[in-house]
């Protein structure tokens, strides 16, 4: 039995955070404190339900773990199959990436307003326990790949909106042109983390 209490604690703290600080006015505070909450969540690998941690024999999956009723934030698990690679894309809202298992490579891009060209920014390799932030203010264009070609990696992301339902952009690097997309989610059902009668049962 996964440690649902840990996930519930995170969701309660995130709900307080986005309710207490108007994210459109104080994005930096949400990112800072949200990053600390996410770091605490991914510091332990005992809470992600198994159904939300698999299924990507190739490519990647985005499982919705929770969406705030007011769509102020959503939480997803990204399952990266061996060698999985995203297109270059943006988010249009703030996002926090927490590495739970394995590792991923986060290649940032910046749009040069003068030329309209995408320019490569920093590359960071995230390993288990690491947290990275992005936002339209900080820069929110990147390409992500699994750092491993022989195993699955998993990262847990928090976004400042219902990320699977937002219109955002994929970029063609050769031409720096953007195409609108809506990612949706890979899962049709979400984990039941609210059955407290089962808390404390051992995994398996
Ligand atoms: Fe992304």
């Amino acid at each position: 039995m996964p440690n649902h209490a840990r996930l519930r604690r995170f969701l309660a703290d995130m709900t307080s955070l986005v309710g207490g600080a108007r994210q459109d006015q104080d994005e930096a505070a949400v990112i800072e404190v949200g990053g600390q909450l996410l770091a605490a969540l991914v510091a332990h690998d005992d809470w992600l339900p198994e159904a939300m941690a698999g299924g990507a024999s190739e490519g990647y999956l985005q499982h919705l773990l929770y969406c705030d009723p007011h769509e102020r934030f959503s939480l997803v698990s990204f399952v990266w199959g061996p060698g999985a690679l995203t297109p270059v894309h943006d988010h249009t809202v703030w996002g926090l990436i927490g590495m739970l298992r394995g590792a991923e490579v986060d290649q940032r891009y910046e749009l040069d307003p003068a030329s309209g060209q995408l320019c490569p920014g920093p590359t960071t390799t995230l390993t288990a326990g690491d947290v990275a932030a992005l936002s339209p203010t900080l820069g929110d264009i990147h390409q992500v790949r699994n750092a491993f070609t022989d195993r699955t990696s998993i990262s847990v992301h928090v976004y400042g909106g219902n990320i699977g339902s937002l219109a955002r952009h994929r970029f063609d690097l050769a031409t720096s042109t953007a195409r609108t997309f809506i990612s949706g989610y890979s899962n049709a059902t979400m984990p039941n983390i609210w059955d407290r009668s089962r808390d404390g049962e051992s995994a398996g």
Side-chain angles (χ1 to χ4, degrees):
M1 185 76 182
N3 186 342
H4 290 323
R6 196 184 303 285
L7 180 52
R8 287 197 300 263
R9 180 76 262 153
F10 172 82
L11 294 172
D13 288 344
M14 273 305 302
T15 303
S16 298
L17 177 62
V18 298
R22 288 283 301 279
Q23 57 180 312
D24 55 341
Q25 295 173 0
D26 200 357
E27 180 185 275
V30 171
I31 287 175
E32 181 182 346
V33 178
Q36 293 167 2
L37 296 174
L38 184 60
L41 183 68
V42 299
H44 304 272
D45 188 4
D46 61 357
W47 57 269
L48 185 66
E50 197 50 43
M52 303 291 109
S57 55
E58 60 181 26
Y60 54 89
L61 297 174
Q62 179 180 217
H63 297 300
L64 178 66
L65 301 178
Y66 180 80
C67 186
D68 169 64
H70 297 295
E71 299 180 65
R72 295 168 298 188
F73 75 95
S74 56
L75 179 72
V76 304
S77 58
F78 252 95
V79 182
W80 305 95
L85 174 72
T86 69
V88 179
H89 62 276
D90 70 5
H91 304 78
T92 72
V93 292
W94 60 262
L96 292 159
I97 302 165
M99 205 71 218
L100 186 69
R101 289 178 208 168
E104 70 189 38
V105 179
D106 179 359
Q107 167 70 61
R108 300 296 173 107
Y109 287 90
E110 287 153 18
L111 203 52
D112 178 0
S115 67
Q117 298 294 305
L118 276 176
C119 307
T123 300
T124 308
T125 299
L126 304 174
T127 59
D130 288 345
V131 172
L134 45 78
S135 78
T137 309
L138 301 171
D140 76 327
I141 303 174
H142 72 169
Q143 183 173 42
V144 180
R145 67 177 167 86
N146 188 346
F148 298 104
T149 56
D150 62 348
R151 74 190 86 158
T152 295
S153 293
I154 298 177
S155 50
V156 177
H157 304 186
V158 195
Y159 296 102
N162 179 2
I163 192 68
S165 296
L166 296 178
R168 44 205 182 104
H169 307 95
R170 286 180 176 142
F171 299 91
D172 181 335
L173 273 185
T175 59
S176 285
T177 52
R179 297 185 71 166
T180 301
F181 79 106
I182 298 174
S183 69
Y185 297 107
S186 304
N187 55 327
T189 59
M190 290 162 62
N192 179 2
I193 63 171
W194 303 104
D195 183 357
R196 292 172 178 270
S197 75
R198 297 169 65 86
D199 282 3
E201 292 181 11
S202 60

